[in-house]
Amino acid sequence: MPRLTNRVILISGGARGQGAAEARLCVEEGARVIIGDVLESAGRQLAAQLGQAATFIPQDVTRESDWAAAIKAAEALGGLHGLINNAGIYQPSTLMETDTTLFERHMRVNQLGCFLGMKCAVPVMERSGGGSIVNISSVAGLRGSPGAIAYSATKWALRGMTKAAAIDLAPKKIRVNSVHPGPIDTEMLHVRTPEQNARRVQQVPMKRMGTAEEVARLVVFLLSDESSYITGSEVAIDGGATL
């Protein structure tokens, strides 16, 4: 039997990249998915490809009202059993090159968005009998990352928020874990040049980028009952980059 049969999963930033791969695999594993994103065209196209098991809803994760609408869409499907806080931005810049506007934008999307997602999801997830929250952090949340101070700050924050939430929510039968991808071959890395990405790959012991599908398989494991005794964990999926 598929691992997520009859479960409802909400995925922020689900229109492309890792989020889209997670949506596809969740559907393959028997779930119904709510795909939230500001990228409406891509999100609607993905939902159409996935058929009746997928619903797209426009979502700016910095707006609590958008989270409320996404939760309402999940409730219409019968509850909420899993949340993937996948939405995020990556605009690398050094400390001295980062202005307040850029720093605050990272904080609002990457950190506030995750906070709002967890807070809004908990009541309906508890009514659904419990569930699993997966916060997508980064290897930049496990070690220093040059030239990306705002991004690194938010990904370290997700690591701490995950651990605090895991303690708070364990009595409600809600597990919370963070996933820390290394360089993954998605649109997010197009902000760097091919030469910069090639140099980055050479620092990875496995000498390659990961794929969105590899991250999705880890996320689905953490959503499923196969990981029923795992909470508050930080799981790197990085080809050995943090060794």
Side-chain angles (χ1 to χ4, degrees):
M1 178 180 292
R3 289 176 288 180
L4 302 179
T5 299
N6 296 325
R7 299 189 188 183
V8 179
I9 309 296
L10 172 56
I11 307 168
S12 71
R16 67 178 185 181
Q18 288 179 195
E22 290 153 7
R24 291 189 187 96
L25 187 56
C26 284
V27 169
E28 288 178 18
E29 292 289 346
R32 289 166 292 174
V33 299
I34 305 293
I35 299 166
D37 211 306
V38 294
L39 303 174
E40 291 197 34
S41 178
R44 294 188 189 281
Q45 183 176 5
L46 175 62
Q49 292 172 355
L50 295 177
Q52 294 184 345
T55 301
F56 173 76
I57 185 166
Q59 184 190 34
D60 178 341
V61 295
T62 69
R63 297 178 181 171
E64 194 163 359
S65 59
D66 281 15
W67 275 108
I71 296 299
K72 185 177 180 180
E75 286 186 295
L77 295 178
L80 183 64
H81 309 93
L83 168 65
I84 308 171
N85 273 311
N86 178 77
I89 61 170
Y90 173 59
Q91 297 175 325
S93 185
T94 66
L95 169 64
M96 299 309 295
E97 294 169 341
T98 299
D99 60 19
T100 302
T101 299
L102 181 62
F103 191 86
E104 288 182 343
R105 182 160 187 252
H106 279 81
M107 294 284 286
R108 287 188 61 79
V109 176
N110 295 2
Q111 185 179 355
L112 177 64
C114 177
F115 163 77
L116 291 175
M118 290 194 291
K119 187 172 183 180
C120 290
V122 165
V124 64
M125 195 173 283
E126 187 177 11
R127 290 195 297 272
S128 301
S132 174
I133 297 172
V134 180
N135 296 325
I136 306 298
S137 181
S138 167
V139 292
L142 295 173
R143 66 174 193 180
S145 183
I149 189 165
Y151 180 78
S152 297
T154 59
K155 294 305 183 178
W156 277 85
L158 290 193
R159 182 183 177 190
M161 289 165 61
T162 294
K163 292 182 179 298
I167 296 170
D168 289 346
L169 300 180
K172 301 179 185 295
K173 299 182 180 179
I174 298 172
R175 298 181 296 108
V176 191
N177 293 287
S178 60
V179 167
H180 297 257
I184 305 298
D185 190 12
T186 66
E187 295 90 340
M188 182 172 277
L189 289 189
H190 292 175
V191 68
R192 294 194 182 276
T193 67
E195 292 76 20
Q196 288 173 322
N197 284 326
R199 288 196 295 271
R200 178 71 179 88
V201 167
Q202 289 309 304
Q203 299 170 2
V204 176
M206 291 182 71
K207 304 300 182 187
R208 69 171 178 87
M209 288 188 181
T211 68
E213 291 72 23
E214 287 173 314
V215 177
R217 287 195 289 270
L218 171 58
V219 170
V220 165
F221 167 73
L222 291 172
L223 291 173
S224 76
D225 291 341
E226 293 176 359
S227 60
S228 58
Y229 199 53
I230 300 175
T231 195
S233 293
E234 52 201 42
V235 187
I237 177 165
D238 63 357
T242 49
L243 296 176

